[in-house]
Amino acid sequence: MKLSILVPVALSAAFLAGGAMAQDASALLKSKNCLACHDAQAKKVGPSFKDSAAKYAGNADAANLLFTKLKTGKGADGKSHAVVAASDDDIKAIIAAVLATK
């Protein structure tokens, strides 16, 4: 009986935590000026998050490639990017949000 009560509570907590993480990523995208050049669905100065997610879909090293690009401003693809002045954890959260864009 206790297990049948704990599972829905745990799932609810996980869902709420996921919503909080998504909200945090959204705040990071705004505060780190990502949205000045990027949009979730449409190309601006840079590619949309949706297009970036599609480009890196199935690439097991995508997060590492993007991390290097955002941290150093230089990508393995030869394209430059503004250096993101953020902690490593914040950059990883931004990348996770971008790669999850549908």
Side-chain angles (χ1 to χ4, degrees):
M1 184 77 161
K2 288 182 184 181
L3 183 60
S4 63
I5 293 171
L6 290 177
V7 171
V9 170
L11 291 174
S12 297
F15 176 77
L16 292 173
M21 286 193 297
Q23 187 175 21
D24 290 343
S26 178
L28 282 171
L29 291 168
K30 289 177 187 171
S31 70
K32 301 304 176 186
N33 289 328
C34 302
L35 301 178
C37 297
H38 301 278
D39 182 76
Q41 300 296 319
K43 181 178 181 353
K44 288 173 86 173
V45 174
S48 69
F49 297 148
K50 178 182 175 182
D51 289 345
S52 292
K55 175 182 177 178
Y56 289 101
N59 183 339
D61 202 33
N64 291 327
L65 292 170
L66 290 170
F67 182 85
T68 300
K69 191 170 200 173
L70 298 180
K71 191 76 173 173
T72 67
K74 298 175 186 171
D77 59 4
K79 296 181 181 177
S80 63
H81 189 280
V83 174
V84 177
S87 70
D88 290 358
D89 287 341
D90 285 352
I91 292 173
K92 289 174 185 176
I94 289 167
I95 291 167
V98 169
L99 292 177
T101 304
K102 304 265 187 231

